[in-house]
Amino acid sequence: MKITAIFAALAVRAAAVGVSGAAEGFAKGVTGGGSATPVYPSTTAELVSYLGDSSARVIVLSQTFDFTGTEGTTTGTGCAPWGTASACQLAINQNDWCTNYEPDAPSASVTYDNAGVLGITVTSNKSLIGSGSAGIIKGKGLRIVSGASNIIIQNVAITDINPKYVWGGDAITIDNADMVWIDHVTTARIARQHIVLGTDASKRVTISNSYIDGATSYSATCDGYHYWGIYLDGSSDLVTLKGNYIYHTSGRAPKVQGNTLLHAVNNYWYQNSGHAFEIGSGGYVLAEGNVFQGITAVVETPITGQLFSSPSTSANTACSASLGRVCELNGYGSSGSTSQADTAFLTNFVGKNIASASAYTTVVSSVTANAGQGKL
């Protein structure tokens, strides 16, 4: 009877675990590991194996997986391109970056954790789900492998990846992937990018209800505000950014260029000592229903891409033909603002899955209550 009861309890546990909700926007319809029987890794090796194998999987994290020290450390000569003060990030000379791009910067000794430099390989048809507030990956990020598709990362925290050193690792890397949903994820104390989409096409990605925590002891702006936030640089990327809390950053939150169509809706930017958006050539950004509080510059100028910033009730009717509705105004508090209203690119939204939008007046309470790991 006892053995029967144990198996019954395990069956109930497995049946109860799964993805919460569904993706909005461009990655609508993503299923991840689907109905695969959940697995519960107990070691870093098991986690790496489950994420990288060829099986559809629902992977549940119920503990902290600490990769710090698991691959040794490296000491070498890097550089200090942003200054030598204790709050300034140093740079690893990865691929001769210091040598080629910062030849005049002072040299600096760097000792970094090898595990952080390259993320864990994630293959197709995976759901990675944190249990409550227990699912934490420390010291190493996730790298969605080229050609992968149908991936869900939900309710997970990724933290403490060589925060002192640029080129010390990213939290989540996507390059040449499709149908990826990042939801209720917290990233904190990261070496470089919290989320980065590389130069190859990542066709449909939704980032929702996540917490980009830029508070740090080391930054490229030497002020405790993380500079490398979200980098979107794909050759044919469709990215929905909805309901996220982007906190204590100083730039590139996000940087958009290449050939990327970004729909930024109902996000909350709070405290930025530099700029939120940086929009380069080939970046197309529709920003609506967001709140910018304590942001020095909502967008870095000059803008060499295109931006529709939902500047007025009358201007926002331009969204109707492509989105099927009027766009929502953005809200600004103790911040710069923007009235940029490029409309030609809005036709790129026709026929695609578009996230809904609420009035900006509801955003702060909704985002602070719901964004990040442990808020499901």
Side-chain angles (χ1 to χ4, degrees), residues 251-267:
R252 297 191 173 187
K255 179 172 182 176
V256 188
Q257 60 182 23
N259 182 27
T260 297
L261 180 65
L262 173 64
H263 186 199
V265 52
N266 291 154
N267 302 287

Side-chain angles (χ1 to χ4, degrees), residues 48-339:
V48 169
S49 176
Y50 288 146
L51 285 170
D53 68 18
S54 60
S55 300
R57 291 203 181 273
V58 175
I59 305 163
V60 183
L61 306 186
S62 55
Q63 64 184 66
T64 295
F65 293 84
D66 190 351
F67 286 84
T68 307
T70 59
E71 299 174 26
T73 61
T74 294
T75 297
T77 301
C79 58
W82 305 286
T84 56
S86 60
C88 297
Q89 278 190 307
L90 302 175
I92 297 168
N93 194 24
Q94 180 172 304
N95 298 322
D96 292 324
W97 184 83
C98 291
T99 305
N100 294 332
Y101 295 99
E102 296 290 345
D104 297 326
S107 62
S109 177
V110 297
T111 299
Y112 56 92
D113 197 82
N114 294 333
V117 175
L118 188 64
I120 305 166
T121 295
V122 181
T123 56
S124 297
N125 305 314
K126 297 291 192 289
S127 296
L128 179 66
I129 307 168
S131 176
S133 58
I136 300 170
I137 301 173
K138 183 179 179 182
K140 197 173 185 70
L142 301 172
R143 180 176 58 88
I144 295 175
V145 69
S146 178
S149 65
N150 196 32
I151 294 163
I152 298 171
I153 304 167
Q154 187 175 71
N155 199 39
V156 173
I158 302 172
T159 71
D160 301 287
I161 302 174
N162 288 318
K164 188 174 182 179
Y165 301 113
V166 172
W167 304 113
D170 305 311
I172 300 176
T173 302
I174 307 169
D175 196 20
N176 188 32
D178 189 22
M179 292 295 279
V180 178
W181 182 27
I182 299 166
D183 181 64
H184 284 91
V185 168
T186 294
T187 53
R189 299 175 299 281
I190 306 300
R192 191 167 167 86
Q193 311 295 346
H194 284 237
I195 300 174
V196 54
L197 273 63
T199 55
D200 289 330
S202 295
K203 299 178 184 66
R204 292 169 291 178
V205 175
T206 294
I207 304 165
S208 58
N209 307 305
S210 292
Y211 179 21
I212 307 298
D213 183 358
T216 180
S217 297
Y218 312 98
S219 72
T221 43
C222 306
D223 60 357
Y225 291 73
H226 192 73
Y227 180 76
W228 324 97
I230 303 170
Y231 193 91
L232 309 176
D233 187 27
S235 60
S236 185
D237 288 2
L238 302 172
V239 181
T240 300
L241 192 68
K242 180 171 182 180
N244 301 287
Y245 186 20
I246 302 169
Y247 170 68
H248 219 266
T249 53
S250 58
R252 297 191 173 187
K255 179 172 182 176
V256 188
Q257 60 182 23
N259 182 27
T260 297
L261 180 65
L262 173 64
H263 186 199
V265 52
N266 291 154
N267 302 287
Y268 179 31
W269 278 266
Y270 181 46
Q271 293 187 6
N272 185 306
S273 62
H275 61 270
F277 289 99
E278 179 181 342
I279 305 173
S281 178
Y284 305 98
V285 178
L286 167 58
E288 59 160 334
N290 303 289
V291 172
F292 301 90
Q293 179 72 40
I295 310 300
T296 301
V298 169
V299 59
E300 185 182 53
T301 56
I303 298 169
T304 54
Q306 296 185 37
L307 167 66
F308 186 81
S309 65
S310 306
S312 67
T313 301
S314 58
N316 288 359
T317 60
C319 297
S320 297
S322 299
L323 276 71
R325 58 172 174 78
V326 174
C327 279
E328 293 286 344
L329 295 167
N330 295 303
Y332 305 91
S334 303
S335 295
S337 62
T338 176
S339 59

